[in-house]
Amino acid sequence: GLQARAAYNWRSDFLITPRDVIFPFSPIYGEATGQLDASIFYGLTDNISLEAALGTPYKHKIVGAGSIAGTGELGSVEALPPTVFAQYRFFAPTATFRPYVGIGATYAYFMKARGSGKLTALTNPGGPPTTFEIDNKFTYTAQVGVAMNLSEKWFADVTVNKSRLRTDVHFSTGQTQHM
């Protein structure tokens, strides 16, 4: 059958790249963020389902670490990662707890990339403001979760998703950062 879910997702601090091209051996991090999302599930069988997940964009603040840790916010970007999952759900649909695993195709779409004055001070002192663009990419997302049936029409769901994304950042100063 068809099911729908609305959720709030939280993403903790995460490593963007372990080595910055501007200051070698200085990692760059994204700060913690959250977003609203919605998913639609369709059960193909009692144990196999499809999920389409889409939400509001994640808003990431980009900060330096290592030798540039004290610089503060270097920039910000919004990311929209729509994903389609194929899932295997264990046990019968009427079971109180139904663990599941899934694999999905994700399209990472980046928008509203903005460099700060601090980024310009590091990359192009005295020059025009440094801007950047991040390449959009397809990737895969692994999923592990458990659904708890509260009633015939209501359920609670806890999911951990892990995407492995490798993409490039292109700076207006001519530098490219693989992340």
Side-chain angles (χ1 to χ4, degrees), residues 116-130 173:
S116 70
K118 294 174 183 178
L119 178 64
T120 299
L122 289 172
T123 60
N124 198 17
T130 300
T173 54

Side-chain angles (χ1 to χ4, degrees), residues 1-2 6 19 22 26 35-37 44 52-53 55-56 63 69 71 89 94 109 112 118 121 131 143 146 148 158 172:
L2 193 62
R19 289 189 338 247
I22 301 156
S26 293
Q35 79 167 49
L36 296 174
D37 88 358
L44 299 173
T56 58
V63 295
T71 57
R89 294 178 176 265
T94 55
Y109 177 73
K112 298 182 182 177
K118 294 174 183 178
T131 60
Q143 180 183 59
V146 63
M148 184 176 125
V158 175
S172 60

Side-chain angles (χ1 to χ4, degrees), residues 77-99:
V77 67
E78 292 185 12
L80 187 63
T83 305
V84 176
F85 290 101
Q87 301 169 327
Y88 182 81
R89 294 178 176 265
F90 299 90
F91 311 132
T94 55
T96 303
F97 291 96
R98 292 197 74 195

